[in-house]
Amino acid sequence: MAHPTAPEREGRPVYRDANVLRWLGAYTASVTGDVAYYFVLTWAASRVAGAAQVGLVLAVGAAPRAVLMLGGGVLADRFGPRRVLLASDTVRSATVVAVAVVTWVAGPGLWSLCLLALAFGIVDAVFMPAVGALPPRIAPVAQLARVQALRGLAVRLANAVGPLIAAAVVAVGGAAAGFAVAGVLFVVSLVLIALVRIAPSAPSPAGRSGPGRPSPTFRDDLREGWQLLRGDRRLARLVAVLALGEMCFSGPLAAGLVLFTQDRGWGPAELGGLLAAFSIGGAATGLTLAAVSRVPRAPAVMATALLLCGLAVAALGRTQTLSTALLWCGLLGAVSGTAGTLAHALVQRATEPRYLGRITSVTTLCTLGLAPALYPLAGVVTARWGVGAFFLGCGAVCVAAVALSLTAPVRRAEL
């Protein structure tokens, strides 16, 4: 087990611990930089090559991120998440700033944007497992739900502020200035991560290496992570619950709401209102979970939240009035935030510290790698059966997550 941290010894909540707050500031700056970067990348690609090429540029970055994600988890476990974060933030900031200079000198070009997206996707595959594996190394296990709630708040804030910052900077200084601001945010994250203290990792089990035994290879570590996931029923089912729950609300939020507002004859203002309602609901949940000292019977609370997710998604797809849709989106943000926070905390609680990078890479791949597969599916289902059918299908996926969360191995999990 990881060594006790200062908050655990002193009994104070993590949101009063300076070390956790440094991590939170680093994570917030990094995610805000991510949001700003993708905004500027999309804007620049649409101006250089048109809307048809935006998907190409984004795909160039998404492909290596999905393919290399599991390898990034191995690196996080081998070298430690903090060291990997420092290296990846250094590369990200240097790459984005370099492209900002090139763009300022020569203007944005399709090939330079594709190269940036490719490099960023490769580094993201290393960064994401490491950043997800860090919370158990800076906070006691009893407060993992609080840490995950704070992380959720950071994501909501970044999603709200990042586009505003990027839009304002691009309007004044163009794509070069936008990339430069994203690079500065990554530098801020780098500095704060360098100041974070972490507990030492647990030693490797005896017998893995030693006199006369070869050191385990990268492939050995990867195989060992998969064997853990296959052999631990509780952990495997928690990962599945997390993945299914994410697919339930990520699909409607990312693709379904656009189709939903178009089907209802609404415009960008209404879509923005629905997204804002979702964010407000999630922020309220984050504040609540960060404030409470413990969540009794966390698996049951998670299952209830997932059930409400499914009902809210299905009901939203049948809603005809904007006011009712806003209410459903607010509820969906609140209950999905609850389910996601607890699912992440339970997965980390059930994982041995030396496997955190590899297991986090699996959950990240499931949540960020598989959820985008719903985007084209949303269009196909909506065109054939209507937007309500797509939302109903997402609700059914969430019910499947509820069924898994009610099985005995998950019900016995605890924080």
Side-chain angles (χ1 to χ4, degrees):
M1 296 294 293
H3 292 194
T5 60
E8 188 172 27
R9 292 193 299 268
E10 298 175 15
R12 64 175 181 266
V14 290
Y15 57 77
R16 294 180 181 175
D17 181 70
N19 194 51
V20 174
L21 292 179
R22 283 191 291 270
W23 162 82
L24 182 63
Y27 185 72
T28 304
S30 179
V31 177
T32 306
D34 277 340
V35 174
Y37 157 77
Y38 281 110
F39 180 97
V40 179
L41 182 69
T42 304
W43 183 89
S46 66
R47 294 303 184 275
V48 170
Q53 301 300 325
V54 172
L56 171 65
V57 175
L58 295 179
V60 167
R65 184 176 64 184
V67 172
L68 301 175
M69 186 75 70
L70 299 180
V74 174
L75 292 177
D77 286 336
R78 279 200 162 209
F79 300 106
R82 180 175 175 273
R83 187 180 301 175
V84 171
L85 285 176
L86 290 172
S88 58
D89 259 344
T90 300
V91 175
R92 293 203 305 173
S93 56
T95 303
V96 174
V97 170
V99 172
V101 173
V102 171
T103 302
W104 179 67
V105 173
L110 181 60
W111 287 110
S112 64
L113 295 177
C114 284
L115 288 174
L116 171 62
L118 178 63
F120 206 87
I122 293 172
V123 178
D124 255 4
V126 178
F127 174 85
M128 289 181 173
V131 77
L134 196 58
R137 303 282 292 277
I138 62 173
V141 293
Q143 297 203 46
L144 281 178
R146 274 178 165 166
V147 175
Q148 293 298 335
L150 292 173
R151 183 181 177 187
L153 275 175
V155 172
R156 306 294 186 199
L157 177 63
N159 287 333
V161 174
L164 297 178
I165 295 175
V169 173
V170 168
V172 175
F179 284 133
V181 167
V184 169
L185 287 168
F186 294 142
V187 171
V188 172
S189 173
L190 174 64
V191 171
L192 290 174
I193 283 292
L195 297 174
V196 172
R197 303 182 308 276
I198 65 170
S201 60
S204 298
R208 286 199 72 206
S209 62
R213 291 176 178 267
S215 298
T217 65
F218 189 93
R219 186 175 180 180
D220 292 335
D221 285 347
L222 189 61
R223 185 187 301 114
E224 187 182 32
W226 276 111
Q227 288 173 345
L228 170 69
L229 196 57
R230 292 176 58 186
D232 191 327
R233 294 175 60 197
R234 176 181 301 175
L235 182 59
R237 294 190 184 187
L238 283 169
V239 169
V241 168
L242 178 59
L244 291 172
E246 182 77 17
M247 290 177 68
C248 168
F249 71 83
S250 288
L253 183 66
L257 280 182
V258 176
L259 299 173
F260 175 74
T261 53
Q262 290 176 350
D263 184 75
R264 297 298 185 267
W266 301 336
E270 288 80 4
L271 175 60
L274 296 176
L275 292 172
F278 180 88
S279 295
I280 291 171
T285 292
L287 288 171
T288 301
L289 291 176
V292 298
S293 59
R294 62 184 294 267
V295 180
R297 301 187 64 186
V301 176
M302 178 182 68
T304 303
L306 285 169
L307 180 60
L308 291 175
C309 272
L311 294 175
V313 167
L316 177 61
R318 300 179 61 86
T319 298
Q320 299 297 325
T321 64
L322 179 61
S323 58
T324 307
L326 289 169
L327 291 175
W328 283 122
C329 280
L331 175 62
L332 181 59
V335 293
S336 65
T338 301
T341 295
L342 294 180
H344 278 288
L346 287 168
V347 166
Q348 292 189 330
R349 179 66 178 89
T351 304
E352 292 184 46
R354 65 190 180 92
Y355 291 107
L356 277 169
R358 281 163 283 184
I359 297 304
T360 302
S361 71
V362 175
T363 59
T364 305
L365 179 62
C366 290
T367 55
L368 296 179
L370 298 183
L374 288 176
Y375 303 166
L377 181 63
V380 172
V381 173
T382 299
R384 189 173 181 87
W385 295 290
V387 69
F390 172 71
F391 278 76
L392 184 62
C394 291
V397 171
C398 204
V399 171
V402 174
L404 271 178
S405 65
L406 294 177
T407 58
V410 177
R411 284 190 286 108
R412 288 195 293 266
E414 59 183 24
L415 292 177

